[in-house]
Amino acid sequence: MEADEYALMDAAEQAMWWYRAMHGHAAAAVADARPGGGALLDAGCGTGGFLARLGRAGCVGLEYNPAAARRAAEKSAAAVVAGSVNELPFGDASFAAITSLDVLCHAGAEPAALLAESLRVLRPGGVLVLNLPALPWLSSAHDARVFTVRRYTRASITAELRAAGFVDIRARYWNALLLPLMILQRKVLQAGAGAPSDVGAFPAWLDTLLFAATRLEAGLMRLGLQFPVGGSLIVTATRP
């Protein structure tokens, strides 16, 4: 991403409703997978918001941008390495879990390499947790700003993970209740090619309402409801 987008993410990711919702889904997915006491890698950790959310020993971050990697280490107090998700600088079977949030979709990611490397550095039974932008037709100026070049469906990510060798794949849509507003924002109000990304500060009342909608949705998902569509996907898969 451009330096200004890293700056926006750094400023927003611990307070903005969308980051808090995504981090909540990812943390719940890790907890539900029960990867045990081994190390966790956040691959493509950006400026460290999710590492800070985890706040536990044994977490390692990896980020391509050296300045962002330094900021992630400062924010989270975790060990953060500058490197590529396409060629992970770690030994085989090093981690019990890997999280990678909105990275597989990025222009700098090579999906086949990222998934092969994730499989390699996970121990047998280890879990990969992905968050991904959903629905290819929802591509917008926001995606261009943050270098998102791929949006996924439940079927497409399941097929990619299965082809890479993962098993026990579970992909669920979220940001479903707010999808009509997302379509309005990206396809109507900010449809121009020069429109800014959606990352930034929201009025407190609006941020509170939007986050409440995501919490309601998360509660319904934990009760077993599967939304047929949504703006994002939370995905878990296991190394055999």
Side-chain angles (χ1 to χ4, degrees), residues 118-217:
S118 296
L119 194 75
R120 179 183 66 79
V121 304
L122 279 171
R123 69 188 187 189
V127 176
L128 174 65
V129 176
L130 303 172
N131 192 80
L132 297 167
L135 311 176
W137 55 263
L138 198 52
S139 182
S140 67
H142 166 84
D143 296 285
R145 288 287 185 183
V146 298
F147 287 65
T148 290
V149 296
R150 288 172 286 273
R151 301 186 72 91
Y152 289 83
T153 64
R154 186 158 50 202
S156 68
I157 189 56
T158 298
E160 283 194 28
L161 286 164
R162 186 176 293 123
F166 286 91
V167 298
D168 298 332
I169 301 160
R170 185 184 185 199
R172 294 163 290 159
Y173 289 107
W174 69 274
N175 210 10
L177 299 180
L178 295 174
L179 183 59
L181 293 179
M182 188 175 176
I183 295 170
L184 176 64
Q185 168 75 3
R186 297 195 179 179
K187 293 300 187 180
V188 180
L189 300 179
Q190 298 285 355
S197 76
D198 294 346
V199 178
F202 284 62
W205 66 268
L206 180 57
D207 193 275
T208 298
L209 286 176
L210 295 173
F211 186 63
T214 67
R215 290 297 82 205
L216 171 61
E217 182 176 272

Side-chain angles (χ1 to χ4, degrees), residues 9 17 37 63-64 75 92 104 114 143 176 188 204 217 219 233 237:
M9 178 171 62
W17 68 273
E63 170 55 40
Y64 183 77
K75 185 182 292 186
D92 296 355
L104 190 68
L114 187 157
D143 296 285
V188 180
E217 182 176 272
L233 283 156

